[in-house]
Amino acid sequence: MAETNRQITLAARPVGYPKESDFKLIETPVPVPAEGEILIRALYLSVDPYMRGRMNDVKSYVPPIQIGEVMGGGVVGEVLESDNPHFQEGDIVEGLLGWQEYAVSNGQGLRKIDPEIAPISTALGVLGMPGLTAYFGLLDICDPKAGETVVVSGAAGAVGSLVGQIAKIKGCRVVGIAGTDEKVAYLVNELGFDATFNYKTTDNYYQKLQEQCPGGIDVYFDNVGGEITDAVFMLINTKARISICGQISQYNLEKPEIGPRLLWTLIVKQARVEGFLVFQFADRYAEGILQMARWLKEGRLKYAEDIAEGIENAPQAFIGMLKGQNTGKQLVRIS
Ligand code: NAP
Ligand code: FER
């Protein structure tokens, strides 16, 4: 075991897109577990869009990260020592342990991972928070039916790539929107999406969606917001369901965008828009993980991971993810 614990802390509150200088790598002693606690060595760190919000000095469902505090976030790690009857040395666990190489925990909120089911990194992706977001956000909030047209934005990311595949499993026609030609080709060729476009090289989103959704849009799973979402609103069908999962196009803006006012489309189409947090489904996580694992095993669900190496590269991996450099789930492997 190393003698020091390398940690990434918040050095400054970002203005616009975060930059490397907003983070600081520090070294502290490896923590010593107290009575009833366990010591965990991190193997994979998760970097997620929600962390951008936690870097602002705004209270949300959890308090913001303070300057000098270790960046919060999901981790998969190995138990090195345990004084807790529920965990043994060698167990693989997942929990909110933050961007650091070692952490102690009293076991609360930690989930034991079975490495036989799937690679352990999936506990931060398809079999973890993003997978549950896709599963409940699509099936519960949008109730997609066979034959309906489902549009998903942020379609090549951790959540979006799973949303599209679940919609295909349910017999829907799926249209995905993402930011590179490689991503949109991957969605069609590897994941079975019916149509896709690259929003960075498309001028008129409305016209493109009209072409790709000749029967209109029944379900919209929104990961991005902004102009893409405005175009979708203009093409929804009667009784459409829209789930607001994320609005990543807005997270790094210095000034809030004033967009077109399109809520009237909801009146005419008697449509429903619902925001959700994956945590509201906590009492049903087991159901979601079981179903996603089953689809994985049956080969009906594929997943991609983009893996950066070393904790020192976590800030760059996070910034890169916010700018679209990832396909599938962005992770950081701790060697
Ligand atoms: P992700 O999609 O793997 O990564 C973020 C992606 O966002 C990037 O790869 C990039 O892809 C895209 N993006 C960045 N800026 C954009 C812009 N201005 N316009 C359009 N797309 C942009 O991340 P994720 O973890 O799966 O999260 C996806 C969304 O779900 C996020 O909005 C996140 O906040 C939300 N989320 C919500 C919950 C919840 O409980 N509600 C839980 C998890 C995630 P491109 O190359 O396509 O631009
Ligand atoms: C996310 C975006 C936003 C997310 C949570 C939130 C778990 C919540 C934000 C808030 O409460 O302000 O991707 O994922």
Side-chain angles (χ1 to χ4, degrees):
M1 188 170 83
E3 293 189 347
T4 56
N5 185 17
R6 295 195 298 165
Q7 305 173 305
I8 305 281
T9 60
L10 180 63
R13 298 209 182 275
V15 179
Y17 275 96
K19 23 185 213 314
E20 290 227 38
S21 59
D22 296 330
F23 303 89
K24 189 174 176 194
L25 190 152
I26 64 166
E27 295 192 2
T28 58
V30 173
V32 178
E35 203 183 319
E37 288 187 337
I38 60 180
L39 175 67
I40 299 142
R41 180 171 74 93
L43 299 170
Y44 291 94
L45 308 183
S46 182
V47 296
D48 295 85
Y50 75 84
M51 294 168 180
R52 179 63 189 83
R54 295 207 57 213
M55 296 170 83
N56 296 333
D57 194 12
V58 176
K59 188 174 178 328
S60 166
Y61 64 104
V62 281
I65 301 170
Q66 299 303 320
I67 302 289
E69 204 181 331
V70 174
M71 287 291 295
V75 172
V76 164
E78 176 192 3
V79 174
L80 293 185
E81 292 171 29
S82 176
D83 186 42
N84 181 312
H86 301 294
F87 298 92
Q88 287 184 338
E89 196 184 314
D91 281 352
I92 302 295
V93 295
E94 182 269 334
L96 287 170
L97 301 172
W99 293 9
Q100 53 185 341
E101 292 177 314
Y102 297 92
V104 291
S105 163
N106 62 10
Q108 251 186 10
L110 275 193
R111 167 168 74 114
K112 252 193 244 187
I113 302 305
D114 181 353
E116 302 289 318
I117 293 177
I120 59 173
S121 56
T122 59
L124 297 171
V126 58
L127 299 184
M129 190 276 280
L132 292 163
T133 302
Y135 181 85
F136 290 111
L138 179 68
L139 297 182
D140 263 67
I141 309 282
C142 299
D143 191 23
K145 307 215 179 49
E148 288 190 324
T149 295
V150 174
V151 172
V152 54
S153 56
V159 174
S161 60
L162 299 171
V163 168
Q165 292 180 80
I166 298 169
K168 285 307 297 176
I169 290 172
K170 295 293 169 183
C172 301
R173 185 164 181 283
V174 177
V175 175
I177 308 168
T180 69
D181 290 345
E182 291 71 28
K183 289 184 187 188
V184 297
Y186 162 75
L187 296 176
V188 172
N189 299 333
E190 305 286 329
L191 303 188
F193 282 46
D194 296 285
T196 53
F197 69 91
N198 175 351
Y199 71 92
K200 289 188 181 162
T201 55
T202 301
D203 290 331
N204 189 332
Y205 301 157
Y206 175 81
Q207 196 178 32
K208 181 59 85 175
L209 280 166
Q210 207 174 27
E211 265 167 51
Q212 296 190 337
C213 306
I217 297 166
D218 302 297
V219 165
Y220 176 45
F221 191 102
D222 187 15
N223 283 313
V224 309
E227 282 178 40
I228 291 172
T229 296
D230 294 341
V232 170
F233 266 50
M234 298 303 291
L235 288 163
I236 55 173
N237 289 334
T238 300
K239 294 285 177 186
R241 288 83 65 204
I242 298 173
S243 79
I244 306 298
C245 173
Q247 297 280 288
I248 198 166
S249 73
Q250 313 295 299
Y251 297 174
N252 296 293
L253 296 179
E254 290 181 46
K255 274 195 204 139
E257 232 172 52
I258 305 300
R261 303 200 174 149
L262 299 175
L263 296 181
W264 58 268
T265 57
L266 304 179
I267 308 170
V268 182
K269 300 297 181 182
Q270 304 142 63
R272 180 161 60 76
V273 181
E274 187 171 340
F276 75 97
L277 275 174
V278 62
F279 314 119
Q280 80 197 55
F281 298 102
D283 61 347
R284 292 174 55 202
Y285 281 176
E287 167 204 330
I289 298 283
L290 196 70
Q291 181 59 77
M292 296 292 276
R294 207 173 277 150
W295 283 331
L296 263 187
K297 196 169 161 214
E298 293 167 357
R300 301 176 81 187
L301 210 53
K302 294 182 186 168
Y303 68 94
E305 295 174 333
D306 233 313
I307 304 185
E309 295 289 342
I311 194 163
E312 65 279 11
N313 291 314
Q316 197 44 57
F318 173 65
I319 296 164
M321 177 276 298
L322 291 174
K323 294 186 172 169
Q325 281 162 19
N326 61 308
T327 297
K329 174 64 198 162
Q330 181 68 55
L331 296 168
V332 180
R333 185 167 22 222
I334 308 299
S335 41

